[in-house]
Structures are given as structure tokens and as C-alpha cells.
Amino acid sequence: MDHLHRKLRDHEAAMFQQGYLDDQFSQLQKLQDDTSPDFVIEVMTMFFDDSEKLLNNMSRALEQVPVNFKQIDAHAHQQKGSSASVGAARVKNVCGTFRNFCEAQNLEGCVRCLQQLQQEYSLLKNNLKYLFKLQQEIKTAGRSIHTRG
Amino acid sequence: MDTMEQNPVHEDDYVPDELEPSPIHEEYAPVIFAQDTISHVISIDVLSGKEDRENVLRARESGKGVLTAPFRLLKTNRLGVILTFAVYKRDLPSNATPNERIQATDGYLGGVFEIESLVEKLLQQLASKQTVLVNVYDTTNQTHSIPMYGSDVSGDEFYHVSFLNFGDPFRKHEMHCRFKQKPPFPRLATGTSIGILVIALLVGHIFHATVSRIAKVEDDYQEMMVLKKRAEAADVAKSQFLATVSHEIRTPMNGVLGMMNMLMDTDLDVTQQEYVRTAQGSGKALVSIINEVLDQAKIESGKIELEAVLFDIRSIMDDVLSLFSEKSQGKGVELAVYVSDQVPQQLIGDPGRFRQIITNLMGNSIKFTDKGHIFVTIHLVEEVFHSIEVERESTSKDAEHTLSGFPVADGRRSWEGFRAFSHEGPLGSFSSTSSNDLISLIVSVEDTGDGIPLESQPMIFTPFMQVGPSISRKHGGTGIGLSISKCLVGLMNGEIGFVSEPKIGSTFTFTAVFTNACPNSNELKTQQINNQPHPATSEFNGMAALVIDPRPVRAEVSRYHIQRLGVRVEIVSDLKQGLSTVTDGDASVNMILIEQEVWDRDSSISSHFVNNIRKVVEIDKGKGIPPKLFILVNSSSSFRAGSTASCLHNPTVVTKPLRASMLAASLQRAMGVGNKGNPRNGEHQGLSLKHLLSGRKILIVDDNSVNRTVAAGALKKYGAGVVCVSSGIEAITMLRPPHQFDACFMDIQMPEMDGFEATRRIREIENSVKDRELFVHLPILAMTADVMQATHQECSKCGMDGYVSKPFEAEQLYREVSKFFQSS
């Protein structure tokens, strides 16, 4: 079962190294204990639902004529806030750029940013899903999860 | 025929002496009457001359006046003409034949005209300014014109021709007039024309030159604009390039450092740990160099902006101290920090940049100091200003009165030249700043190191200048630090200066302006008393300590740090005095802190002291708790505990530099109060947060479910009971008094009603409670993603008690929450 641990550690390390996750995610992991054993998964699932809703809203809002930049900015602000809370660093950064474009009312920039956002989000989601899968495997294999200290 | 006739003698014919009686002819025409002036022609036969004869005959045939050709007259010999008329016997019709006319001729009438005198008389009447030469010609014969009047003419000159008509159709006469003198060379006209021409040429030339110069200058200007744009673009590109490259380098570097952190957490043997630590050190140095270069680029493009956040200057100094404590201990250099009591607890400014400046100055000092001390002091500018006169009298800056006893460069010289201190400066006519919200701090970093050579001193703030090539090899660094510090000081509206004496030491001083975060009228006043104790260690409040240290400066530093814990401090300079203070004083002393050099001076006195202390307490106070003894040492390795091996109660060793948290930990450990152990700073915070929050009921207000869950999770970890709502309206409902909540964390940006509005309403409801007994002020903290000064003002305006960033950061959370929660 050591190779599972190693795989998990490597994957987690890679996600941190490549900037998908930052220190806030480790803080989340620290909050997980025996009283709330699935805290991270719960929070991340909420984050996924929330993000997908926001991304859909933003995409629809960009197709409207005329484009309501204020509303899109509000959505981007929400997305930025939730990404910051869960430590989704790359998503958060793209949101920052997105907000700048909204402020400048640059439609082309917004469209590009939304694409980038969707891309980053799906990358993050896939990586995290894989992470959770590994954790589940280790759990079912009877060991406790080795989290970053 | 007895007709009166004149006899015009042809000039060729006439010779007065040869006049003879006329030969026999058929016809004669003698002159019978003549004027007196020409009386000499009387009885001359007019028909005798050839031409005259023709003239006469023509006259009688035509019945008109007939002119002769010009000839020389008799006697006067001047040119003249004769006009002859025929006189008829009877009136002849105009169509009469010549024969009839000849038959009817009775006589002849002639007039002599002297051309010369005639013309001259005429000309006299027409006299003009210029002398005019007139020639009159008989041009009946066109090829051969007979001159009648005038001198000979050179034919090529310009002359005017006029035709004369004396009434004889047969003859033609012309008058030629010309100027006698050639027209003088028109000097004036020519000169003027030439002059005008020259002037015109010159003016034209000037025009041309001007126009071409303007065109050239305009072209140059266009070229310059293009070049300037290119240069600016190049400059911008350079800064962008620098920033981008540095940024790109920084990201993988952070990755490397992060990996090394994680590596440290795994199982490593000692050698591997050593390797990792070295690698970490190099990595951190590289990151700091990159940051410096980035800063330099930012400064050059003017993009540095200072933050405005709340910060505690004393805790920043603690952090900086911990950065350098290991190094200073290793070198045997005493490191001390002193912040004046008059500096407020909280300030608004950019703590990161402030820390950067201090770290840079202290880093330089550490690099170049191998003995003695590094002493950092922070005062209000007003304190120093007013104490200038006082200082001159009291402390003479000779060797004994410095921190470590080593001589120092006179720190006053490093700031005497500051504008702030001149009489024209803002303090020159300083009345009172208590009404002013601005705080001017003056910070000094004094060291007893090698000093800066005099020739390098002028260039010390220039970027990339090192004091000598050997320095960069010996100590590393890029030489940008001081120039960045100077820029940052300037941004903080301050000045930086230094004084340095080679072989003695250097003192760097700078001023900076911050905003006072707790002026007297603030509602946060309830927490602001002078010497507010460090929140984590209020358990020491009310205790008394004795510091035994012969050096007044060092003793003051120790007093400052201990006072931060809420402990009263008294200072004596040797063991004997200390003993008498403990025995004779009224209040009981809980702890005695002895400077190492006092302790080491004489081991017998030291052990005597220890024994007496225990005895005294037992006898007099009856408390049974002797004061704890602490030895203040610079580096733990240099302390020899062996000297007091005989003593049962070994004193606790406290390593300097003194820091509030570390001091508190040592005291706690020794005195058995509070937490055991000496945890790392972060864990310390966590445990303290647990103390503050466990058992409290907290309301979280945020419209974003993810944020709510994360915030709730974090607070639950510290033992708080958490309730979440998702809008301001719900929050108002939940917080209608009476309620059981101890605190509220409120998100600011929410739809429908934002955090400010909700807080305002909540405060309204709170204030409307009639019964003052039931009045409750719920601590409300704002949760915000963007921390800006505006947020701070807005927060206090609507009644909030502070703000924390989203997501939570342990230290900041602790700081804010500890403002209104005491440790349980």
C-alpha cells in the first residue's frame, strides 16, 4: 500500500507545485479531523457546484446584448472569493484578471478569460477528483490518510 | 514786265562781288521793294538763280505759297528759306489752268526766313532745363536732306523727330531734337535699384533660410518624437522584461522552496537535514535577490505603492529580531530593540515595506559587525526633537553609556541634517500633534561594526554600489538594498541618513510618517491604554520584576520588553543593591533578571546573592515563593552554568535578543503559569486562538456557501460554536437582542444588503435599547477579500470593530479577535 501513499503524496505535491492549490488548501486539510472526516470533500463539492453555476451565469451573461459588465464582475468576484477560500490559486488568479477586463469593459478580454477560467476549473476539478479517488482507495485499503503536516 | 521780284541767289551761285547786270532775257523779275533788314536784295533778278526761277515759276503756276530749299542768304550768309507768293491781276477760280495763271500774274511777293534765328527764338521760348539740340532739315529729297539749322549730328544718338509744315505741300521739313548732353549716369536711380535689389535678395535669402531652418527643426523634432517614443517603449519594455523574467524565475523558485519545506517534514537524518537547510538558505537568498531586482524595476517605473493597513510596530520588530537572533548569537553580537512608550500600539501604514527597510539596515549591520552590539530604537520624532537640548547636557556619548560598552558613532549626526528637524520644518514651529492624526517615527540602527570607509560614504545609496569588490564576494548581495530603502523611506514621507566612523561603527537613521490608528476619539479607545500588555501574556499583569544591569541603556531595553508583558520593572546596577531592594522594598518581587556579565563577575557574590534571596523571602514575606531568577545571556553557548553548580535553584537562562513572546514563554515555563513548552510562533497563535474562542458562539454572515463553510470550519477548529446565515437581513434577525452570540463575522460584499448596511442597522437596534443595563455591543468583524484603507474607514464609520481577510489568516485573526476577547 506504500505505492498508493507515494502516488497520493506525489499528486498532491504536484498540484501545489504547479500552483493549482496554495496554502489555504492545506489549512482546509488541517481542519479535517475525526469530528469532520470528510470536511475537505464536502467543501470542494460545494465549491464545484457553486463554480459551475457561476461559470454558466457568466457565459450566458456574455452572450447577452448589451453585455452587463457589472453583473459579470459580481459573478467573477464571487468566484474569486470561493476560490480563495478553498485555496484554488490558479482559478483565483484568472478571476482577478477577469475582473480587470470587466472593469475595462473589454468584451474580447472577458470572453478569453472565461475560456481560460473554464479550462483552469476543469483541470482543477479533474485533478482533485483524482486526488479524492486515491484517498478513497487508501481508506478502503485500511490505512489513514497521510496529510501534509 | 515790271514785276517786283526777289532774286534768291543759290548759295553756290552767290558771290557778292560778282554781281553784274543781268543779261538779256525774255523775262525779268527784279526786286523793287524790300524790308530794311534785307534791303540789299533790291534790284536783284529773282529769275536769275536756277532754283529760284523754278520756285517763282511754280508759285505763279500753282497759286500757292512755295518754299525754296534752304540756302545761304545774301549778305548774312545764314541758312534760310524764301516763301514766294504770286500776285494775280484778278481773282482766279480754283480750277484755272496754269497758263491762265501765268497770264494773270502781276507780280510776286516773297518772304525771307532765316531758319537759324527763327528756330532759336522759338527754342528760347521753349527753354527747358536740359540743353536741347535742334536740327531742322529740308527732307523734300528723301535721300539727300538739306540741313537748315543746327550743328552736325553724330547719327547714332537718340533724337526725336517732328514734322514741320510751313504750308507748302511741295516741300517737307523735319525737326530733330536731342539732348545736348548724354543723360548723366543715373547714379542715384541705379544705386537705389541695386540697393533695393540687394535688400530684396537679402530678405529673400533670410526668408529662405528661416523657412528651411524651421522645416529642418520640425523634421528634427519629428525624428526626436519618434526616437523618444522608441526610447520610452524600450524603457517600459525593459522594466516589463525585468518584472516578467523575475516573476517567471520566482514561481519555480517558490516551488523549489515549497518542496524543500515539505522535504524537511519528512524523515531525514542529520546530514540530509543539514543539506536541505543549506539549500533552503540559498533558495531564500535567491528569492530575496529576485525580489530586490523586481523592486528596483518597480521603483524605476514608479509603480511602487504603499499599502495602508493596521499593524503593530512592536510585533514587527519582534519578527525582525527573530530573523536575526540566530546570526547575532552566533557572532556574539548583542542585538536589542527598543520602542518608545509614546509610539502608539497600532499604526496604519505598509508593514511589509517598513519591515523591508529595517531588515535591510539590520542585515547590513549584521554583515559588518563582529563584536559589540546592534541597537535599534524607535521614537516619535517629537521626543527626539525636544530632547535634543536635554541630551546635550546629560548623556555624554562616551563609551560607557552605550548598550554594550563599545564606542559608537554619534547617532545624532545621522539625523541632525533632516529637514524635519530644521526650524523651517514641520516641527520647527511645532505646537501640539495630539490633534494630528499623523505620526512621525524616527528609527535608528546603531552598530559597532567596521564602519564605512570615508571615500565610499557619498555613494552609499546608489544602486548596485558595493563598498569594494571584496565585499560582494565576502558577504553577497546585489547592493540594491540601500537604494530601495531610500526610495521606500521617501515614499513614506521620510528621510534617511547615516553617520559612520571606520573601525568604530555606523548608525543609520530614517524617519517615516504613518497614520495613528488609535487617536483618542476612536471607539477602539477602550482597548488603548498606555503600555497595553501583550495580549497573550496578561497573566503576568501586576507582577513586579527587578533588573540588575550596570549599563543603563541595556537595562532600559530589558525594561521595555518586560513591561510589554504587563510587569512593573525596577532597575539596579549590581547584586548588592538588588539584594537590598528585595529585602527592603514594599512590594514583592516576582522575578529577578540578571545580566550575564554581573553574574559572571564574581561567582561567590552570585551564590551569596542566591542564598540570601531565598532566605529573605521565607522570613519576611511569608509567601513561600522566592522570586525566580533569570540570567540574560547573549548566546547560550557562552554561558557557563558551572559557576553555580552548587546552588540548588539553578537560574533559568534567557537568551537575548529579548522578544515579548519568547520572554513570556520562558517566564511561563519557569513560573509554571499557562502553557508549557516553547512552541513555534504559528502553533502558539493557534493555541492562543483556542483560548480566545473556545466556547464562544459566533455568527457568520456570507452569501457564498463555500466561504461560509470554510470560515465555519476554521472557527469550529478553535472550539467556537458557529451559526451561518447567508444574508444581511437574516443576520439582523438573528442579532435582535437578546441573543446569545459573542461575536459576528460579516462579509462585506453581499447582494441586497451589504455588510456595512447590515452592521449599521444592527448598531441602531443595539443603541435603541432603553435600559442601559441591557446594552450590548456585539463585536462585529468584517471579512473582506480586498484590504484597503477605505475599507478601514468604512468599517469604523458603520460601527464595525475591525476586519480580517478572506480566507482567514491565523495571526491576523488572532490579533483582531484578541481585541475584545480575553483568554478564558
Side-chain angles (χ1 to χ4, degrees):
Chain A
M1 296 300 111
D2 258 344
H3 77 276
L4 272 179
H5 272 279
R6 218 180 315 125
K7 249 194 187 170
L8 178 66
R9 265 213 300 259
D10 288 343
H11 184 73
E12 240 190 81
M15 286 193 76
F16 278 98
Q17 188 197 15
Q18 289 167 27
Y20 286 103
L21 299 173
D22 64 22
D23 191 53
Q24 180 60 17
F25 187 76
S26 342
Q27 297 289 333
L28 278 190
Q29 288 175 317
K30 282 191 207 160
L31 293 179
Q32 183 164 294
D33 57 20
D34 297 325
T35 53
S36 45
D38 292 318
F39 183 67
V40 178
I41 294 187
E42 279 170 14
V43 174
M44 294 319 289
T45 315
M46 244 193 277
F47 173 69
F48 292 145
D49 290 335
D50 209 42
S51 305
E52 266 149 46
K53 244 189 295 167
L54 282 172
L55 285 172
N56 275 337
N57 286 344
M58 285 194 270
S59 153
R60 251 181 291 128
L62 277 175
E63 286 164 16
Q64 274 178 355
V65 170
V67 175
N68 185 346
F69 283 106
K70 268 217 158 82
Q71 197 186 38
I72 300 178
D73 185 56
H75 289 319
H77 174 74
Q78 286 276 336
Q79 182 64 26
K80 188 168 174 214
S82 5
S83 338
S85 292
V86 301
R90 278 158 80 135
V91 176
K92 179 182 77 161
N93 288 339
V94 177
C95 287
T97 320
F98 200 149
R99 289 199 75 195
N100 287 340
F101 280 125
C102 285
E103 240 181 81
Q105 305 219 345
N106 181 341
L107 181 60
E108 204 189 295
C110 285
V111 169
R112 261 186 293 132
C113 254
L114 182 64
Q115 283 175 353
Q116 206 182 354
L117 195 59
Q118 284 162 335
Q119 210 180 354
E120 286 296 335
Y121 167 73
S122 51
L123 280 171
L124 178 72
K125 184 169 170 182
N126 292 338
N127 279 320
L128 277 174
K129 283 236 148 94
Y130 181 62
L131 187 83
F132 294 148
K133 186 166 88 95
L134 284 176
Q135 286 177 342
Q136 194 60 31
E137 282 179 15
I138 291 179
K139 225 202 240 174
T140 50
R143 300 278 187 98
S144 62
I145 296 171
H146 175 95
T147 48
R148 267 182 83 230
Chain B
M1 318 236 166
D2 44 343
T3 50
M4 277 190 299
E5 281 184 334
Q6 277 203 332
N7 189 16
V9 179
H10 206 267
E11 112 181 77
D12 297 335
D13 286 347
Y14 181 63
V15 174
D17 291 337
E18 291 175 9
L19 282 179
E20 50 193 44
S22 175
I24 305 204
H25 291 290
E26 267 185 31
E27 210 179 333
Y28 297 96
V31 178
I32 45 180
F33 274 123
Q35 274 183 299
D36 285 337
T37 46
I38 45 171
S39 55
H40 55 272
V41 300
I42 289 178
S43 71
I44 291 181
D45 186 8
V46 174
L47 285 172
S48 55
K50 205 192 321 165
E51 215 183 271
D52 315 314
R53 178 192 176 88
E54 201 188 297
N55 203 30
V56 167
L57 292 174
R58 200 155 41 92
R60 84 174 170 200
E61 280 169 6
S62 64
K64 292 196 168 83
V66 173
L67 275 173
T68 62
F71 62 94
R72 295 222 170 265
L73 295 175
L74 284 171
K75 193 179 171 191
T76 56
N77 223 21
R78 283 157 99 160
L79 272 177
V81 294
I82 297 184
L83 181 67
T84 309
F85 283 96
V87 179
Y88 296 108
K89 290 178 191 160
R90 57 177 186 273
D91 241 345
L92 285 173
S94 41
N95 57 354
T97 63
N99 264 342
E100 283 173 357
R101 289 188 194 277
I102 293 171
Q103 291 304 315
T105 302
D106 206 8
Y108 307 96
L109 189 64
V112 179
F113 297 99
E114 234 181 89
I115 301 296
E116 276 186 43
S117 51
L118 186 69
V119 172
E120 265 175 37
K121 287 207 173 63
L122 274 175
L123 284 185
Q124 257 180 2
Q125 288 175 354
L126 303 170
S128 65
K129 279 210 172 115
Q130 298 284 343
T131 317
V132 180
L133 288 174
V134 181
N135 285 58
V136 185
Y137 297 99
D138 182 334
T139 53
T140 317
N141 189 347
Q142 279 187 348
T143 50
H144 186 225
S145 55
I146 310 164
M148 288 168 66
Y149 172 82
S151 52
D152 279 334
V153 171
S154 51
D156 52 354
E157 295 227 358
F158 175 73
Y159 53 83
H160 186 262
V161 176
S162 309
F163 291 102
L164 299 175
N165 187 2
F166 289 117
D168 182 359
F170 184 66
R171 298 222 173 261
K172 292 194 184 44
H173 297 89
E174 274 178 14
M175 183 162 81
H176 292 180
C177 302
R178 63 177 167 84
F179 283 108
K180 178 171 181 186
Q181 286 147 348
K182 277 199 203 158
F185 186 69
R187 252 186 315 205
L188 189 60
T190 314
T192 312
S193 311
I194 289 180
I196 289 177
L197 183 67
V198 166
I199 289 174
L201 276 178
L202 282 176
V203 168
H205 177 74
I206 290 173
F207 244 34
H208 175 75
T210 310
V211 167
S212 66
R213 175 136 187 84
I214 289 177
K216 181 167 173 298
V217 166
E218 272 188 7
D219 281 342
D220 281 347
Y221 170 72
Q222 293 298 338
E223 221 183 290
M224 287 303 171
M225 289 304 286
V226 169
L227 285 177
K228 174 178 164 230
K229 284 213 177 59
R230 261 200 273 159
E232 281 174 353
D235 192 36
V236 166
K238 174 203 91 178
S239 292
Q240 276 183 354
F241 167 75
L242 254 183
T244 315
V245 165
S246 309
H247 198 65
E248 295 299 318
I249 296 179
R250 210 162 48 169
T251 314
M253 258 331 281
N254 282 333
V256 167
L257 280 176
M259 284 299 108
M260 285 200 283
N261 280 341
M262 288 180 43
L263 185 58
M264 278 298 265
D265 286 340
T266 61
D267 295 322
L268 298 171
D269 65 33
V270 179
T271 327
Q272 289 171 323
Q273 276 187 359
E274 197 47 46
Y275 290 162
V276 174
R277 230 172 274 133
T278 317
Q280 270 182 325
S282 306
K284 281 192 193 130
L286 186 56
V287 168
S288 76
I289 290 178
I290 292 173
N291 284 336
E292 276 188 345
V293 171
L294 262 181
D295 269 351
Q296 186 68 14
K298 263 197 244 168
I299 285 177
E300 276 180 14
S301 58
K303 283 221 202 88
I304 288 218
E305 272 175 20
L306 290 183
E307 279 184 11
V309 293
L310 277 176
F311 69 98
D312 177 358
I313 206 168
R314 291 174 178 84
S315 46
I316 292 198
M317 294 315 296
D318 283 348
D319 293 339
V320 176
L321 266 184
S322 55
L323 260 183
F324 290 108
S325 57
E326 252 186 69
K327 245 196 182 155
S328 71
Q329 283 170 12
K331 276 186 156 188
V333 172
E334 185 162 345
L335 187 55
V337 166
Y338 177 80
V339 181
S340 150
D341 289 338
Q342 293 195 37
V343 175
Q345 193 74 11
Q346 300 256 343
L347 291 170
I348 297 177
D350 192 331
R353 296 293 183 187
F354 180 73
R355 187 188 307 202
Q356 190 176 353
I357 302 171
I358 298 243
T359 312
N360 172 249
L361 293 177
M362 284 179 72
N364 284 342
S365 290
I366 284 269
K367 259 192 233 169
F368 296 105
T369 308
D370 299 314
K371 62 181 196 317
H373 67 264
I374 298 174
F375 188 24
V376 182
T377 53
I378 303 183
H379 292 273
L380 287 185
V381 159
E382 291 87 19
E383 287 178 66
V384 170
F385 188 69
H386 284 302
S387 68
I388 285 176
E389 293 312 313
V390 176
E391 262 190 45
R392 284 200 216 286
E393 304 158 18
S394 55
T395 43
S396 50
K397 279 282 190 187
D398 49 351
E400 283 91 61
H401 292 273
T402 64
L403 183 74
S404 62
F406 284 85
V408 290
D410 186 0
R412 233 175 310 141
R413 275 171 35 211
S414 63
W415 48 258
E416 262 176 347
F418 280 3
R419 256 187 331 220
F421 292 115
S422 69
H423 284 293
E424 302 88 53
L427 294 180
S429 50
F430 149 74
S431 48
S432 81
T433 47
S434 53
S435 53
N436 199 354
D437 257 357
L438 294 178
I439 301 281
S440 284
L441 294 182
I442 177 166
V443 182
S444 260
V445 177
E446 170 188 277
D447 72 49
T448 55
D450 300 329
I452 304 169
L454 287 167
E455 57 270 8
S456 316
Q457 288 193 10
M459 303 223 284
I460 203 163
F461 289 112
T462 321
F464 300 111
M465 295 304 297
Q466 294 269 29
V467 169
S470 54
I471 299 295
S472 47
R473 256 182 281 128
K474 192 167 139 208
H475 294 288
T478 48
I480 316 182
L482 273 176
S483 89
I484 294 181
S485 297
K486 182 165 177 184
C487 278
L488 291 175
V489 165
L491 281 174
M492 293 186 190
N493 295 322
E495 299 165 84
I496 185 166
F498 73 99
V499 62
S500 177
E501 285 172 45
K503 301 284 192 313
I504 295 187
S506 324
T507 303
F508 277 77
T509 308
F510 71 93
T511 56
V513 176
F514 298 104
T515 317
N516 194 349
C518 35
N520 292 336
S521 54
N522 200 322
E523 56 226 39
L524 294 173
K525 193 196 173 195
T526 47
Q527 301 299 329
Q528 304 315 317
I529 41 177
N530 251 350
N531 299 335
Q532 191 205 347
H534 198 257
T537 51
S538 45
E539 49 252 37
F540 297 114
N541 225 339
M543 294 198 188
L546 180 67
V547 169
I548 305 183
D549 187 343
R551 292 198 191 290
V553 180
R554 197 169 48 186
E556 274 302 314
V557 173
S558 308
R559 182 217 288 266
Y560 154 71
H561 283 287
I562 299 169
Q563 264 182 344
R564 285 172 70 191
L565 303 176
V567 180
R568 260 180 314 114
V569 178
E570 212 184 304
I571 301 177
V572 295
S573 48
D574 61 36
L575 287 171
K576 215 165 75 150
Q577 280 186 34
L579 192 53
S580 49
T581 315
V582 174
T583 48
D584 304 337
D586 300 327
S588 62
V589 174
N590 302 99
M591 53 191 105
I592 305 179
L593 297 104
I594 307 174
E595 196 52 46
Q596 179 186 5
E597 67 172 87
V598 175
W599 187 259
D600 283 348
R601 206 174 290 164
D602 194 332
S603 55
S604 59
I605 301 183
S606 315
S607 41
H608 171 77
F609 176 80
V610 171
N611 292 333
N612 282 357
I613 288 290
R614 279 174 44 231
K615 279 190 223 146
V616 159
V617 171
E618 280 163 8
I619 295 173
D620 276 349
K621 311 295 179 187
K623 276 213 182 125
I625 305 174
K628 287 274 184 261
L629 286 176
F630 298 91
I631 311 289
L632 303 173
V633 301
N634 267 331
S635 60
S636 27
S637 52
S638 68
F639 180 63
R640 294 161 293 127
S643 57
T644 51
S646 57
C647 175
L648 278 175
H649 296 270
N650 265 334
T652 321
V653 170
V654 174
T655 321
K656 287 204 280 191
L658 291 176
R659 280 196 315 284
S661 48
M662 182 216 57
L663 190 60
S666 306
L667 291 176
Q668 281 167 356
R669 228 183 315 143
M671 306 182 59
V673 180
N675 299 321
K676 297 270 190 296
N678 196 2
R680 267 174 38 224
N681 212 18
E683 289 177 17
H684 185 236
Q685 298 285 14
L687 292 169
S688 313
L689 268 170
K690 263 218 178 88
H691 276 198
L692 289 181
L693 293 171
S694 109
R696 314 267 186 194
K697 197 150 174 239
I698 302 188
L699 180 69
I700 294 187
V701 188
D702 194 328
D703 62 317
N704 185 311
S705 55
V706 175
N707 296 343
R708 268 203 310 271
T709 320
V710 171
L715 289 177
K716 275 192 210 147
K717 179 173 151 204
Y718 298 121
V722 177
V723 173
C724 295
V725 295
S726 58
S727 74
I729 301 175
E730 278 184 60
I732 296 175
T733 319
M734 298 288 293
L735 293 177
R736 206 173 288 276
H739 61 74
Q740 304 299 324
F741 288 104
D742 297 303
C744 171
F745 283 79
M746 174 95 70
D747 181 28
I748 295 188
Q749 249 154 315
M750 294 188 282
E752 288 176 6
M753 186 190 296
D754 69 14
F756 297 131
E757 179 61 31
T759 309
R760 243 176 266 134
R761 298 250 190 112
I762 293 170
R763 294 292 181 225
E764 267 172 44
I765 298 177
E766 279 179 356
N767 288 332
S768 68
V769 168
K770 298 281 182 3
D771 192 348
R772 294 315 279 178
E773 297 275 308
L774 294 177
F775 176 71
V776 139
H777 174 97
L778 180 74
I780 301 184
L781 289 176
M783 294 194 293
T784 164
D786 303 309
V787 175
M788 296 177 306
Q789 187 182 16
T791 315
H792 165 75
Q793 282 170 357
E794 288 282 332
C795 286
S796 14
K797 238 198 291 182
C798 63
M800 288 181 165
D801 297 284
Y803 57 83
V804 292
S805 62
K806 243 197 316 191
F808 292 151
E809 203 249 331
E811 207 180 295
Q812 187 194 42
L813 185 62
Y814 179 81
R815 239 198 343 255
E816 295 292 317
V817 169
S818 62
K819 282 189 203 158
F820 42 80
F821 283 162
Q822 300 296 327
S823 271
S824 54

